[in-house]
Amino acid sequence: MSAPPLLSARGLTKRFGGLVAVDGVDFDVFAGEILGLIGPNGAGKTTTFNLIAGAFAPTSGTLDFEGKPIHGLGPHEVAGRGIMRTFQHNMPFAGMSLIDNVLVGCHRRMQSGLAALVMGSRRAAAEEEKARRRAAELIGFVGLGDVADTPVVNLSFGQGRLLEVARGLAGEPRLMLFDEPAAGLTPAEAERLSDIIRGIAKRGIAVLLIEHDMRFLLPLAERVIVLNFGRKIADGTPDAIRRDPAVVEAYLGEASTIGAGEEAARA
């Protein structure tokens, strides 16, 4: 790609005692790109996410976001820079409606402080109204407009996953990290989520996702990085990745099986 990378990792390494979870990994993520991160269990995928999100500090190596270093920053500082993360398990604020859950994410970008909100200043009221409109727009974007005022306890699992996406978008990210977003979804829900992720990328937001379901990931991602034992073993298009001998070996033949199924579907 001709544009500079949005996120750049060089020599990214994380050790836990004698265990090297991520071992000298280099990669770039570009604005508006959908990039998959795959590998066997224990390959270092989630640790890599935790390094990007600020949950862990790297043992060595660098992470630059929009040309500025973020390695060593805490999670709230990383989020403030424009990197938002969703998790494998839905974590809504119980007792609140969908729109109020999303408003929590919007407040991160509001200028008025808590005192101004409590005192009901005109500026704070205007910001609150703008944030509420933004929350409603995001709920509509993920397809939950009809249940915007519903308590979150009444949502299905799939609807809860979409709420997590809307909350992440409320923080106005430049990069969104998805950790196994298709886990637990029905085929119809997974297809809907794929469309939403494509819509996010079309807004110029970069998407980096961990996913074990190759039937979800391969048609969605524009590029795929493969980790094995903490090291990057491949980086390329989905078609190139599923034919890479090192990837096939790492997945014990699963990649070649998926590839054959896709070819049959195209025939």
Side-chain angles (χ1 to χ4, degrees), residues 16-171:
F16 297 97
L19 172 66
V20 183
V22 178
D23 190 1
V25 172
D26 297 343
F27 65 89
D28 294 320
V29 186
F30 295 87
E33 178 183 30
I34 302 175
L35 175 63
L37 181 63
I38 68 173
N41 290 332
K45 305 181 300 295
T46 298
T47 300
T48 299
F49 259 40
N50 284 329
L51 291 168
I52 297 170
F56 298 151
T59 305
S60 60
T62 61
L63 276 168
D64 290 342
F65 184 68
E66 295 188 313
K68 298 178 181 179
I70 60 169
H71 43 275
L73 297 182
H76 68 286
E77 295 172 299
V78 171
R81 294 286 184 92
I83 300 176
M84 304 301 294
R85 177 180 184 177
T86 67
F87 293 85
Q88 295 180 27
H89 306 289
N90 299 335
M91 296 185 293
F93 295 105
M96 297 170 62
S97 68
L98 272 72
I99 200 161
D100 286 334
N101 263 267
V102 178
L103 273 172
V104 172
C106 291
H107 286 154
R108 177 182 295 278
R109 297 296 183 182
M110 292 176 66
Q111 299 299 313
S112 298
L114 178 61
L117 290 171
V118 172
M119 295 297 292
S121 75
R122 183 175 297 178
R123 176 182 174 182
E127 278 199 303
E128 183 75 11
E129 179 58 31
K130 181 179 179 181
R132 186 166 289 273
R133 290 196 302 269
R134 173 63 173 162
E137 187 270 327
L138 291 173
I139 289 172
F141 174 72
V142 300
L144 296 178
D146 292 342
V147 292
D149 296 317
T150 300
V152 293
V153 294
N154 295 334
L155 298 180
S156 68
F157 180 83
Q159 289 174 323
R161 183 58 51 83
L162 297 179
L163 173 59
E164 293 294 311
V165 175
R167 286 204 309 182
L169 288 171

